[in-house]
Amino acid sequence: MNIRGWQSSQWAMVLTVMAGELWFGSAEALAQSAAPASVLDPLPAPAQPPNIVPLSSGEQLGKDIFYDDTLSNPEGYACATCHNPQAAFTGSSSAVNRAAGPVPGVIAGRFGRRNPQSIPYATFSPRGPYLTSAEGGTYIGGTFWDGRTPDTATQARMPFLDQNEMANTPAGPYPPHAGGFSPLVARKLAKRPYAGLFESFFGLAVLPTSSDEQIYDLAPRP
């Protein structure tokens, strides 16, 4: 989009949402914003904090995966990047929030389609979505803003493969709730420091005896 006719004093914001994709103006135009940090660059992944209370093996495994910034492609993004506990488990950049809301992905120039939700909502969202009444009613349940996945285990399969988020190339059907997966993520999981915890939770020798698809399917389920 041509923005040369804009007055230099104007603030550059989100231009439009088209076909479900978010596009931004040039870096020069966005630099006119008073935001101190760039809204174009990938964000740093937060460090994994120490446990405040003892965790079960499943809870610890889930936490380790949640903060693992090697599972994106290229490496550098964790689930916690877009769901930072210091920002109530949503995007932590004030500059991004002022300029747009959707968080930059791990690949420069790509952005999520929507502002990441504060994930504690999922605790109170039933499996769904479903209509509360056969005569119409209200759709409730599910995960994501539009309830397009039924539960958290299915939701967690998707950011790894979203090209605007963690950007792993999918194998199999896409979106991943239809069966797609990332062989690269599965192979990384088998080599991470928490691989022993993965096997103690899901079963001894589960990593060397399972397919990439099976390992990927287990990752969101601790």
Side-chain angles (χ1 to χ4, degrees):
M1 180 177 289
N2 185 353
I3 61 171
R4 288 177 295 181
W6 286 19
Q7 294 295 324
S8 60
S9 61
Q10 290 183 299
W11 291 44
M13 305 296 281
V14 179
L15 301 181
T16 190
V17 176
M18 301 180 67
E21 296 288 341
L22 184 67
W23 295 85
F24 285 82
S26 70
E28 180 179 357
L30 283 169
Q32 296 173 12
S33 169
S38 172
V39 297
L40 297 174
D41 297 333
L43 302 176
Q48 180 170 333
N51 296 337
I52 299 175
V53 298
L55 301 182
S56 68
S57 59
E59 290 168 340
Q60 184 61 60
L61 177 59
K63 182 178 181 180
D64 289 343
I65 294 174
F66 186 78
Y67 281 94
D68 190 345
D69 65 358
T70 74
L71 299 181
S72 61
N73 186 28
E75 296 181 0
Y77 257 43
C79 301
T81 303
C82 296
H83 298 286
N84 193 322
Q86 294 183 340
F89 291 96
T90 187
S92 59
S93 170
S94 295
V96 169
N97 291 337
R98 282 196 299 268
V103 173
V106 69
I107 296 178
R110 296 183 183 177
F111 299 82
R113 294 172 177 84
R114 295 168 179 163
N115 188 22
Q117 287 180 289
S118 179
I119 57 176
Y121 83 92
T123 302
F124 306 99
S125 183
R127 183 177 174 86
Y130 64 90
L131 269 176
T132 57
S133 170
E135 291 74 32
T138 302
Y139 274 107
I140 64 171
T143 53
F144 289 108
W145 284 109
D146 53 12
R148 66 184 181 276
T149 55
D151 52 30
T152 53
T154 313
Q155 181 276 335
R157 297 173 60 92
M158 301 188 73
F160 290 121
L161 305 187
D162 193 312
Q163 295 304 294
N164 296 316
E165 297 183 32
M166 298 177 78
N168 288 283
T169 301
Y174 189 87
H177 60 69
F181 68 100
S182 168
L184 179 60
V185 168
R187 292 165 192 169
K188 286 181 178 180
L189 289 168
K191 298 177 181 178
R192 300 302 296 144
Y194 50 79
L197 186 60
F198 195 102
E199 291 203 318
S200 70
F201 184 78
F202 288 113
L204 295 178
V206 68
L207 291 172
T209 60
S210 299
S211 66
D212 291 340
E213 184 173 4
Q214 290 169 327
I215 294 171
Y216 187 86
D217 187 57
L218 290 175
R221 300 180 184 276

